[in-house]
Amino acid sequence: MLCPGLLRWALLLALGLCRAHRARSRNVLLILADDGGFESGAYNNSAIATPHLDALARRSLVFRNAFTSVSSCSPSRASLLTGLPQHQNGMYGLHQGVHHFNSFDGVRSLPLLLHQAGVRTGIIGKKHVGPETVYPFDFAYTEENGSVLQVGRNITRIKLLVREFLQTQDNRPFFLYVAFHDPHRCGHSQPQYGTFCEKFGNGESGMGRIPDWTPQAYGPQDVLVPYFIPDTPAARADLAAQYTTIGRMDQGIGLVLQELQAAGVLNDTLVIFTSDNGVPFPSGRTNLYWPGTAEPLLVSSPEHPGRWGQVSEAYVSLLDLTPTILDWFSVPYPHYAIFGSKPVRLTGRSLLPALEAEPPWATVFGSQSLHEVTMSYPMRSVQHQGFRLVHNLHFKMPFPIDQDFYVSPTFQDLLGRTTAGRPTHWYKDLHRYYYRERWELYDRSRDPHETRNLAADPRYAAVLELLRAQLAKWQWDTHDPWVCAPDGVLEERLSPQCRPLHNEL
Ligand SMILES: *[C@@H]1O[C@H](CO)[C@@H](O)[C@H](O)[C@H]1NC(C)=O
Ligand SMILES: *[C@@H]1O[C@H](CO)[C@@H](O)[C@H](O)[C@H]1NC(C)=O
Ligand SMILES: *[C@@H]1O[C@H](CO)[C@@H](O)[C@H](O)[C@H]1NC(C)=O
Ligand SMILES: *[C@@H]1O[C@H](CO)[C@@H](O)[C@H](O)[C@H]1NC(C)=O
């Protein structure tokens, strides 16, 4: 139980109802990057300077096998803030404007549960989830009532908002969610600031100034090109711009942590850093391949210094963050149903035990249905140790490309090279990228780039069956409406379990 206001606190203490040993409150700071990946010293990228993330990593357990369950912005944020995959919380695609996806009204989100348990909640930056009744925050400066550039990329503004949040007479413990808009692309929305808004606030003419930001410039020759990005001048220039915006976020993280330090609460605060989905490059965002789902994840607990600076190999999911934060605040997950009488159960787990000893966790799941409203391409996936299985439910359709990636220099260059028959310097070809097989099985221990589909290889039949069974069980456990969707394959037999699902309606 959490300790309420001072007078009642004394009374409850006398009654023995309050944990007197916890005179100090425990807080949480959740920091989210927007489309960020492994471009940091903390993840061994030596080409980029990220001193603040690297310093945080030295006080964190660093996860190298952390995955989002869905590679799309609003669905990922909704999953992170509910512990439920997109098909269960209802946020099937992007939330804004005409896309208009929302979580179901009955969903009990992390900010809702924490508020009810006496925790003060705040969000600064990009929200991109709704409805408001499902995702209420006591303190909110987001794109809903301000400029996303200001609350998400202007690190001076972010610093001042964190200061305002912390300057309160409120004694409740807090959950503060700082959701940067960096390093998202912006060539589709604000091209005047560069493809990644890397010029916004850099002090050049017309760009304005962010007083706390010292911009770091990178050239195309400076960047490391990951295996899934074409090694071309266009992609290198794109990456160089991305690095500059990551540098701005990194300096912003330093400012945010400095505010907590100055307020005297940093040592009572669990700090978590991660990102919503893969980087906005081919095989990245909107894909359930490794580059689309693997995320940086730093978990820094002042109470668990034993594994600071260590790297965990455990397979963990962003679906684990809601159970982790509830565990940190000792708030139980409620018994309730979203539809009918089937109780909602979290399939993620608290990560706190991993801060003490390396756990044997080996399996994470993925579920994607849309991104933009026009981009229906349902996929389900399971990663079990080195194996990844992806089920493409609409495999006869071309894979949809989202608009801001489509207009990006990297993709336009890839398209132009492909149509002109010039070398693409890419590890795939666009035809294979658009047209995928129904089941894709990769053995990442031998094929880390996921290029050899083993689903039809008889030597992997047992692995395929095991992963399919794991995936189907998770889909049933999480009430996935797509579990009974026919794939359009004539010999297909649906599970007998599908009958009661339809009869219920
Ligand atoms: C970075 O590289 C070192 C040395 O190879 C390795 O021990 C460590 O696990 C790597 N860190 C991450 C996050 O992968
Ligand atoms: C945004 O909403 C918060 C309340 O959550 C309010 O305090 C703040 O003034 C609003 N900001 C703007 C720019 O309207
Ligand atoms: C960033 O925010 C600060 C503080 O609100 C402001 O002074 C500055 O002009 C802003 N910079 C830009 C580029 O908007
Ligand atoms: C931070 O907190 C931990 C335990 O919560 C305590 O052992 C440590 O002394 C504290 N450090 C400082 C600098 O207050």
Side-chain angles (χ1 to χ4, degrees):
M1 150 163 214
L2 296 162
C3 304
L6 210 58
L7 263 177
R8 280 180 59 207
W9 185 81
L11 189 67
L12 289 172
L13 187 63
L15 293 170
L17 293 175
C18 184
R19 294 187 188 185
H21 64 271
R22 194 183 294 166
R24 290 159 51 189
S25 56
R26 277 176 138 192
N27 312 302
V28 171
L29 169 67
L30 172 61
I31 305 172
L32 198 67
D34 199 357
D35 295 354
F38 297 94
E39 307 78 18
S40 64
Y43 280 92
N44 286 338
N45 181 324
S46 54
I48 189 169
T50 52
H52 301 284
L53 272 173
D54 302 356
L56 179 61
R58 289 193 288 273
R59 305 176 13 123
S60 300
L61 182 60
V62 177
F63 289 90
R64 66 184 295 167
N65 289 309
F67 296 88
T68 178
S69 63
V70 55
S71 194
S72 172
C73 183
S74 304
S76 176
R77 285 156 202 261
S79 300
L80 190 158
L81 291 175
T82 61
L84 307 174
Q86 57 85 23
H87 60 249
Q88 189 173 22
N89 74 57
M91 187 73 73
Y92 300 147
L94 297 178
H95 170 68
Q96 86 279 11
V98 67
H99 307 299
H100 194 59
F101 290 100
N102 278 287
S103 287
F104 300 124
D105 293 335
V107 169
R108 312 269 182 94
S109 75
L110 181 66
L112 187 75
L113 295 174
L114 293 180
H115 176 83
Q116 289 169 349
V119 175
R120 182 166 172 256
T121 60
I123 176 170
I124 296 167
K126 180 167 169 181
K127 187 174 182 195
H128 215 196
V129 292
E132 174 66 25
T133 48
V134 172
Y135 299 101
F137 284 88
D138 300 324
F139 176 98
Y141 286 83
T142 73
E143 78 280 6
E144 291 180 352
N145 74 352
S147 145
V148 73
L149 285 181
Q150 291 301 329
V151 296
R153 300 199 200 248
N154 183 341
I155 60 175
T156 297
R157 178 98 177 106
I158 293 168
K159 173 189 85 174
L160 296 173
L161 287 171
V162 171
R163 188 173 296 173
E164 187 183 324
F165 177 77
L166 295 174
Q167 276 172 355
T168 167
Q169 299 306 312
D170 203 315
N171 289 321
R172 287 177 294 172
F174 67 78
F175 167 61
L176 178 60
Y177 173 37
V178 177
F180 285 89
H181 192 26
D182 283 331
H184 197 284
R185 286 187 181 278
C186 73
H188 60 301
S189 53
Q190 277 109 358
Q192 69 274 26
Y193 295 124
T195 50
F196 280 85
C197 272
E198 70 278 7
K199 296 179 186 156
F200 169 66
N202 73 0
E204 286 173 15
S205 143
M207 297 298 130
R209 240 180 73 75
I210 298 173
D212 288 288
W213 182 36
T214 309
Q216 298 146 286
Y218 295 88
Q221 72 288 353
D222 300 330
V223 300
L224 297 181
V225 183
Y227 71 87
F228 53 90
I229 298 180
D231 194 348
T232 56
R236 282 178 169 271
D238 236 4
L239 285 166
Q242 183 211 30
Y243 277 25
T244 296
T245 64
I246 289 172
R248 182 168 54 207
M249 175 186 72
D250 181 73
Q251 292 177 29
I253 290 170
L255 296 171
V256 170
L257 294 176
Q258 177 54 40
E259 288 302 315
L260 265 68
Q261 174 82 46
V265 293
L266 187 58
N267 200 37
D268 303 319
T269 303
L270 178 72
V271 180
I272 300 173
F273 167 77
T274 187
S275 176
D276 58 346
N277 48 244
V279 292
F281 285 92
S283 295
R285 191 181 61 196
T286 75
N287 286 273
L288 292 188
Y289 301 130
W290 187 92
T293 56
E295 301 300 338
L297 177 63
L298 309 179
V299 179
S300 175
S301 164
E303 296 178 21
H304 302 84
R307 298 198 68 196
W308 280 2
Q310 289 185 23
V311 175
S312 173
E313 305 288 332
Y315 285 83
V316 299
S317 168
L318 299 195
L319 292 174
D320 297 332
L321 295 186
T322 282
T324 301
I325 294 169
L326 290 176
D327 186 18
W328 176 261
F329 286 116
S330 303
V331 173
Y333 194 70
H335 292 277
Y336 75 107
I338 298 173
F339 293 112
S341 57
K342 279 188 295 185
V344 175
R345 291 206 183 83
L346 297 177
T347 56
R349 53 161 76 86
S350 171
L351 300 178
L352 297 184
L355 305 183
E356 288 171 358
E358 180 71 358
W361 305 330
T363 311
V364 293
F365 296 96
S367 169
Q368 173 124 1
S369 294
L370 295 99
H371 179 65
E372 294 159 11
V373 68
T374 53
M375 290 175 60
S376 177
Y377 196 83
M379 301 175 278
R380 300 294 181 266
S381 69
V382 52
Q383 162 102 28
H384 180 68
Q385 289 162 335
F387 291 105
R388 174 186 299 271
L389 178 70
V390 180
H391 180 199
N392 297 307
L393 279 77
H394 291 186
F395 68 103
K396 295 191 178 178
M397 289 178 24
F399 183 79
I401 310 291
D402 63 284
Q403 292 179 28
D404 84 75
F405 176 51
Y406 192 84
V407 302
S408 72
T410 297
F411 192 75
Q412 284 300 310
D413 181 62
L414 182 56
L415 210 53
R417 286 170 179 270
T418 300
T419 52
R422 290 163 52 217
T424 60
H425 305 290
W426 192 38
Y427 79 133
K428 288 188 178 174
D429 65 73
L430 273 182
H431 188 266
R432 269 189 63 205
Y433 192 71
Y434 278 118
Y435 292 97
R436 302 182 177 189
E437 287 168 273
R438 183 184 181 199
W439 294 95
E440 296 179 74
L441 175 65
Y442 299 107
D443 180 354
R444 300 201 67 251
S445 65
R446 292 161 185 229
D447 174 27
H449 298 174
E450 303 176 333
T451 56
R452 287 195 302 278
N453 183 5
L454 303 169
D457 184 332
R459 288 171 299 171
Y460 287 86
V463 175
L464 179 67
E465 269 325 294
L466 172 75
L467 268 62
R468 281 182 69 161
Q470 283 182 327
L471 182 56
K473 177 175 186 310
W474 180 72
Q475 288 184 264
W476 283 103
D477 287 349
T478 54
H479 310 173
D480 185 356
W482 276 262
V483 75
C484 291
D487 284 7
V489 174
L490 297 180
E491 73 278 14
E492 180 169 35
R493 286 176 187 278
L494 295 183
S495 154
Q497 283 171 280
C498 291
R499 192 181 296 270
L501 186 78
H502 294 306
N503 286 352
E504 245 176 41
L505 302 175

